[in-house]
Amino acid sequence: MKNKAPFILLTPGLILLIVFMFLPLVTIIWPTFYDGKLTFGSYLSFFQDNYNLSVFWRTLRVSLIVTLICILLGVPTAYYIARTSKKWRGLMMAMSLFPLLTNSVIRSFAWINILGTNGVINDFLMKLGIITEPIKMLYTDSAIVVGSVYLFLPLMIITLVGVIENIDLEMVEAAETLGANRLTAFMKVVLPLSLPGIIVGSILVFSGTLSAYTTPQLLGGNQNMMLSTFLYQNAMTLGNWQSAGVIALIMIVTTIIVMKLFNMIAAKFDKRGGEHA
Amino acid sequence: MRKQRGLSIISMLVFAFLIIPMIIIVVTSFGENPSIQFPIQGFTFDWYLNVFETNSLIQSFFLSIQISMIATILALLVGIPAAYALARYSVKGRDILKSFFLSPAMIPGVVIGYALFQFIVIQFQMPIFQGLLLGHFLISLPYIIRVVGSSLEQLDFSIEEVAWTLGCTRVRAFVKIVLPNIQAGIFASFMLAFINSFNNIPVSQFLSGPGVTALPTSLMNYIEYNYDPTVSALSVLLMVGTVILMYIIEKTLGLASIS
């Protein structure tokens, strides 16, 4: 009886996951390796095509830039929130959570209004007479970067606040008392201690940007495809299911590799911290 | 605490960056001009009326509520027992099992959406509604496993054993002792999974058909063909919904429980 209980409790979930996730994944990925015999041809030819490669590299480049910007803006903001009085902290956390709980279509739509040809920025600059022709900002890689930072920065901030709140502020004060200026204290004490949070946040932001569909679709347009929009186009517009399967596996594998890499970086920094101590 | 000017300036700029785009949407929803502009000319509620008169949007709103509700409840029914088994018993290969249950969150949404589209709609010719429901069930499950799992890990199971000793059946002890002790976690995971499912785009994008289109997909289609303040008005209504949900969460669990 005692041995059967966990089995009974786990089985419904396992069956649903195997039948409706695992099998469907096999259905789309198996044909990319097998056409009468086992072959890697689909993958070789995918990476030999310049256009495919440009989509692949754009996806990685955009995800990396977005992650770096989110770290640069997220760490100081999270530190600021964590050190603010309780009353304001609640409001600031709510202000960071609100965008996160708002639909990503709405959040991308906001940037169409701002970056578009007749958008807020072009309108403003033309009224001031700084420019005479609207600048093309929408449907560029930069638009995807801005939209993705907008999408994922709150995630980085919230992840980091949780970690930084647990850092003993007396350590920062001790560093300052011992003669470190604020910047040094921040770099030498706060930053190393928030590293686990930065790593978790970076994994969330990077894999989120890598697989986001709405932002590249609405802000990148057809000229600036990312893997997710490229998969959709191949599957639903072109009906090229072989390519769609190839892109699907590339997305899964890339996500896994990136996670491993970030964890390796974290482990390396941990060791260095140990040597100092 | 000493003031740190550089830090405050960066943080204020970040908050401005997060909030201003939302404010622009709110303002443009009241403009009289049929194309979106900022600052607006005139003042009207017409676009809000237009939201309620656009059938495709209203229909998708109710479909999305329905899908997210059923999918999240299904995920609770399947997820709570699984999370309990993983926390309570030393099952063989527990870590692998747990990663498997969390894996829908690791796989890109477009991949899950496309795989379900191929499997359910193309191969088995099942209705799109079922596919959409299953897709949303899959993306909701990891939230339940993670949040309910962490409340179970903090639970002292000896109180359940006491109930057994006192003659309670296993099921009765679970319902009367375990469930009430993890109800905050269940509610938090329900809220998270529901909001995430309601806002999901990548899975829904592949699983849409005549009369079966989730709200975000409808909204996306609408933006591609008409660029008018109706979208702003609907966005404002959805933001009001988000604020109400946040208020409910804050009053019941505290926002910290979902962040």
Side-chain angles (χ1 to χ4, degrees):
Chain A
M1 172 66 197
K2 210 182 170 190
N3 292 333
K4 266 188 190 161
F7 181 74
I8 295 167
L9 295 169
L10 287 167
T11 304
L14 283 177
I15 289 178
L16 283 169
L17 280 178
I18 289 168
V19 175
F20 294 112
M21 192 186 73
F22 188 69
L23 278 184
L25 284 177
V26 171
T27 315
I28 59 165
I29 287 166
W30 176 243
T32 65
F33 287 109
Y34 191 81
D35 58 346
K37 61 181 182 339
L38 207 59
T39 165
F40 293 99
S42 306
Y43 292 86
L44 289 176
S45 57
F46 179 90
F47 282 110
Q48 270 158 9
D49 183 287
N50 278 331
Y51 183 76
N52 297 346
L53 274 178
S54 76
V55 173
F56 179 72
W57 287 120
R58 174 180 301 111
T59 308
L60 288 188
R61 192 172 58 234
V62 167
S63 308
L64 187 66
I65 296 173
V66 170
T67 309
L68 291 177
I69 296 177
C70 284
I71 295 174
L72 282 177
L73 296 177
V75 173
T77 309
Y79 184 55
Y80 184 77
I81 296 178
R83 291 190 69 168
T84 311
S85 64
K86 259 232 160 79
K87 195 179 89 190
W88 288 102
R89 196 188 305 166
L91 180 73
M92 288 177 183
M93 284 302 276
M95 269 164 71
S96 317
L97 257 178
F98 178 70
L100 211 56
L101 301 179
T102 307
N103 199 305
S104 60
V105 179
I106 299 176
R107 289 189 279 164
S108 300
F109 169 72
W111 286 96
I112 299 181
N113 296 337
I114 295 171
L115 301 174
T117 316
N118 303 311
V120 177
I121 294 180
N122 273 322
D123 221 37
F124 184 69
L125 292 178
M126 294 226 296
K127 263 182 200 148
L128 287 182
I130 294 174
I131 53 168
T132 46
E133 293 275 302
I135 311 169
K136 183 184 155 90
M137 286 177 282
L138 197 59
Y139 307 130
T140 60
D141 284 8
S142 315
I144 306 180
V145 169
V146 173
S148 306
V149 170
Y150 190 64
L151 217 54
F152 294 112
L153 181 56
L155 205 57
M156 179 65 94
I157 293 176
I158 286 168
T159 311
L160 281 170
V161 170
V163 176
I164 295 179
E165 265 179 347
N166 289 328
I167 297 176
D168 192 348
L169 281 178
E170 277 176 19
M171 278 203 273
V172 184
E173 277 158 28
E176 286 174 6
T177 316
L178 293 172
N181 63 33
R182 285 174 210 163
L183 190 66
T184 317
F186 180 79
M187 299 298 273
K188 295 263 175 183
V189 179
V190 180
L191 212 54
L193 288 172
S194 30
L195 200 71
I198 296 178
I199 295 292
V200 173
S202 298
I203 291 177
L204 291 174
V205 173
F206 196 102
S207 55
T209 311
L210 187 121
S211 57
Y213 175 81
T214 325
T215 324
Q217 174 67 21
L218 289 177
L219 303 180
N222 287 330
Q223 302 297 315
N224 303 281
M225 292 240 172
M226 300 251 285
L227 285 176
S228 53
T229 43
F230 195 40
L231 190 158
Y232 186 82
Q233 191 201 41
N234 269 292
M236 307 305 268
T237 318
L238 305 174
N240 190 342
W241 292 343
Q242 185 78 6
S243 287
V246 170
I247 302 167
L249 186 63
I250 290 175
M251 286 182 81
I252 295 175
V253 171
T254 313
T255 311
I256 295 171
I257 291 178
V258 165
M259 275 180 205
K260 294 261 183 256
L261 272 178
F262 274 114
N263 284 324
M264 261 166 60
I265 297 173
K268 205 170 180 186
F269 271 99
D270 262 357
K271 231 181 263 161
R272 208 189 283 172
E275 277 164 20
H276 276 293
Chain B
M1 187 195 300
R2 281 196 283 169
K3 287 244 156 60
Q4 309 205 356
R5 197 167 296 142
L7 209 57
S8 347
I9 292 171
I10 296 177
S11 310
M12 289 310 129
L13 286 176
V14 164
F15 283 118
F17 171 74
L18 290 180
I19 297 303
I20 288 173
M22 304 278 191
I23 295 176
I24 291 177
I25 290 186
V26 176
V27 173
T28 56
S29 71
F30 297 110
E32 273 173 8
N33 205 311
S35 76
I36 297 172
Q37 49 171 206
F38 181 87
I40 51 168
Q41 290 168 344
F43 186 91
T44 176
F45 284 106
D46 285 358
W47 306 111
Y48 287 87
L49 282 179
N50 200 31
V51 169
F52 292 100
E53 281 161 5
T54 309
N55 261 332
S56 62
L57 294 177
I58 295 302
Q59 222 181 1
S60 334
F61 173 79
F62 286 111
L63 179 87
S64 271
I65 292 277
Q66 196 187 352
I67 291 278
S68 303
M69 198 56 114
I70 304 175
T72 313
I73 291 173
L74 190 64
L76 280 174
L77 289 176
V78 173
I80 294 174
Y84 174 77
L86 290 172
R88 184 77 176 84
Y89 300 97
S90 47
V91 193
K92 233 186 198 174
R94 193 167 79 168
D95 288 343
I96 295 172
L97 276 171
K98 191 157 186 185
S99 328
F100 188 58
F101 273 99
L102 292 175
S103 63
M106 315 267 284
I107 296 167
V110 280
V111 175
I112 292 186
Y114 172 56
L116 274 174
F117 166 76
Q118 275 289 340
F119 192 71
I120 291 189
V121 181
I122 304 289
Q123 282 204 321
F124 287 91
Q125 309 266 319
M126 272 159 68
I128 289 174
F129 183 89
Q130 265 91 317
L132 195 58
L133 193 60
L134 282 163
H136 282 249
F137 160 76
L138 289 177
I139 56 169
S140 303
L141 191 60
Y143 287 94
I144 313 291
I145 300 284
R146 200 183 313 134
V147 179
V148 173
S150 75
S151 343
L152 279 166
E153 269 156 29
Q154 283 157 26
L155 183 71
D156 180 4
F157 283 111
S158 57
I159 54 170
E160 191 193 18
E161 276 153 27
V162 171
W164 293 348
T165 322
L166 294 174
C168 240
T169 63
R170 300 262 156 145
V171 177
R172 208 176 136 78
F174 179 76
V175 174
K176 289 270 171 188
I177 305 292
V178 178
L179 281 186
N181 274 295
I182 56 165
Q183 59 177 336
I186 293 176
F187 184 63
S189 69
F190 175 83
M191 281 301 205
L192 271 176
F194 181 83
I195 293 170
N196 180 61
S197 152
F198 189 79
N199 286 336
N200 176 280
I201 261 274
V203 172
S204 312
Q205 198 71 6
F206 286 89
L207 299 157
S208 121
V212 190
T213 307
L215 185 62
T217 309
S218 264
L219 198 56
M220 200 122 150
N221 295 340
Y222 191 93
I223 294 175
E224 275 177 36
Y225 297 106
N226 344 255
Y227 183 66
D228 68 34
T230 309
V231 187
S232 312
L234 178 58
S235 302
V236 173
L237 294 173
L238 290 174
M239 286 193 246
V240 171
T242 308
V243 171
I244 294 174
L245 276 184
M246 281 177 74
Y247 183 79
I248 296 174
I249 297 171
E250 170 65 22
K251 284 295 151 202
T252 47
L253 301 165
L255 281 175
S257 65
I258 59 160
S259 57

